[in-house]
């Protein structure tokens, strides 16, 4: 989980995409928020959803696998719901990530 979190954060930082990281390990309110905002069809059959999970404001975008697939397909900005900067293969808007 830690490696996946670092991968997402590293990508966002390297591409100067604003984001807010929410620590669900140390903050019960963040953990509750994530559980409530991950759609039923994106939750595991048993247990709670594991991070990293990506959101644009409160709109759920997906988990690490969805992020990774978008990155591999040079479609991360579309995945994040952002406009790619001019000349970019892969805007500024505030993202919320539950990590």
């Amino acid at each position: 989980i830690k490696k996946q979190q670092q991968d997402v954060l590293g990508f966002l930082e390297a591409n100067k995409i604003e984001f807010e990281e929410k620590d669900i390990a140390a903050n019960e309110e963040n953990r509750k928020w994530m559980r409530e905002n991950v759609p039923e069809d994106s939750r595991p059959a048993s247990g709670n959803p594991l991070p990293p999970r990506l959101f644009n404001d409160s709109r759920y975008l997906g988990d690490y696998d969805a992020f990774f697939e978008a990155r591999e397909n040079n479609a991360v900005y579309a995945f994040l719901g952002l406009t790619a900067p001019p000349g970019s293969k892969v805007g500024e808007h505030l993202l919320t990530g539950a990590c």
Side-chain angles (χ1 to χ4, degrees):
I1 291 175
K2 184 78 170 165
K3 185 177 184 315
Q4 292 176 350
Q5 291 170 328
Q6 290 172 337
D7 190 27
V8 171
L9 295 175
F11 179 88
L12 297 174
E13 290 168 352
N15 287 282
K16 296 178 177 48
I17 298 172
E18 277 189 56
F19 66 92
E20 175 187 348
E21 182 180 4
K22 291 191 175 197
D23 184 348
I24 65 165
N27 186 310
E28 180 60 35
E29 188 174 309
N30 288 343
R31 190 170 25 255
K32 181 180 175 191
W33 184 91
M34 185 181 83
R35 286 184 197 139
E36 291 172 353
N37 287 285
V38 172
E40 284 290 328
D41 63 346
S42 297
R43 295 179 187 181
S46 63
N48 292 311
L50 296 175
R53 300 290 173 141
L54 291 100
F55 298 83
N56 188 328
D57 292 323
S58 62
R59 184 172 55 92
Y60 180 69
L61 303 175
D63 61 7
Y64 177 78
D65 292 336
F67 169 81
F68 182 80
E69 184 177 329
R71 193 176 67 188
E72 290 296 302
N73 293 320
N74 290 323
V76 174
Y77 283 90
F79 169 76
L80 297 174
L82 304 175
T83 302
S88 173
K89 285 185 182 179
V90 232
E92 292 189 36
H93 194 280
L94 182 64
L95 291 178
T96 303
C99 294

